[in-house]
Amino acid sequence: MLQQPAITFSVDVLKGKEVITKSTYLADLTNLFKNEEARLDMPQDQLIYRVTLYKPVAEGTPGGLFFGTTIIEPGQIATEYFMTRGHFHARGDRAEYYWCIQGEGALLLMDRKRNIRAERMYPGSLHYIPAHTAHRTINTSTEPLSFGACWPADAGYDYEGIAHHGFSGRIFQVDNVPQLVKL
Ligand code: PAN
Ligand code: ZN
């Protein structure tokens, strides 16, 4: 007799009794977007993104792996698309995989020297996020963007660097198409 898996994934969310869900609203994203006034003019209870997470081992377990999905709502603050906070890993040498499930987007990748590039995300695209590379995802379409992620259980998150210095580029809608504008 085969056992039922503890966790399954559908198009966008993980399901199972150990799944953790984290939602991020516009109110949580002070000073993240270039136009802070435009952010304040919008409903603060607007959902921007949610993450469903499966952590089969304790945070920090060497050799363990976490799995998650992220769904970013469509929308813009002025001409900047809804996006995630973005982070380096607290253990900077830890890498990660992302793969796009649904929608269209961009993955912004910045190394420690602040060199920046963006990869196009579309259903089936696979993205290797190298060590020491900050990562942020952006929904560039009018549908929700969902993607999967798998990362080491001891990677952790370093949001501070990004909160203070930001990324060295942003994705704006220019002439109806997403464009990476380097700062
Ligand atoms: C992802 C991200 C998720 C949300 O699971 O945590 O997409 O983005 P922020 O954490 O930047 O808000 C991941 O990269 N984990 O390491
Ligand atoms: Zn990460």
Side-chain angles (χ1 to χ4, degrees):
M1 192 70 160
L2 300 180
Q3 289 184 332
Q4 281 295 339
I7 301 286
T8 59
F9 71 91
S10 68
V11 168
D12 51 4
V13 287
L14 296 183
K15 289 181 186 138
K17 66 178 190 317
E18 293 169 65
V19 170
I20 302 160
T21 302
K22 281 186 190 167
S23 298
T24 300
Y25 298 90
L26 198 53
D28 303 319
L29 299 177
T30 306
N31 289 326
L32 189 87
F33 297 92
K34 185 168 168 67
N35 192 332
E36 174 66 3
E37 274 180 26
R39 184 191 70 90
L40 287 168
D41 277 350
M42 292 174 62
Q44 298 299 298
D45 60 355
Q46 161 79 50
L47 175 67
I48 306 297
Y49 62 98
R50 72 204 147 99
V51 180
T52 60
L53 287 167
Y54 178 44
K55 297 182 170 184
V57 294
E59 187 97 37
T61 304
L65 291 171
F66 290 163
F67 188 103
T69 68
T70 302
I71 304 115
I72 310 178
E73 297 299 315
Q76 288 175 222
I77 314 281
T79 58
E80 192 171 15
Y81 303 97
F82 285 2
M83 61 190 183
T84 59
R85 260 193 198 93
H87 58 271
F88 285 98
H89 288 150
R91 286 200 65 151
D93 62 352
R94 297 307 198 242
E96 182 164 7
Y97 273 116
Y98 278 5
W99 59 97
C100 183
I101 300 165
Q102 202 171 54
E104 279 270 338
L107 169 61
L108 205 53
L109 296 164
M110 180 180 77
D111 69 18
R112 295 279 181 195
K113 291 179 175 160
R114 300 184 61 76
N115 295 311
I116 198 153
R117 63 196 174 88
E119 294 181 356
R120 189 180 146 231
M121 300 177 82
Y122 56 92
S125 66
L126 178 72
H127 309 270
Y128 181 71
I129 300 165
H132 301 292
T133 304
H135 39 292
R136 164 181 283 166
T137 44
I138 296 111
N139 183 351
T140 57
S141 82
T142 52
E143 306 296 323
L145 169 71
S146 66
F147 62 92
C150 184
W151 67 99
D154 61 356
Y157 305 90
D158 170 11
Y159 291 108
E160 287 300 299
I162 295 303
H164 286 126
H165 305 292
F167 280 76
S168 56
R170 292 177 178 275
I171 308 271
F172 294 106
Q173 187 179 49
V174 182
D175 295 334
N176 264 329
V177 291
Q179 194 168 309
L180 171 60
V181 177
K182 297 189 183 181
L183 307 173

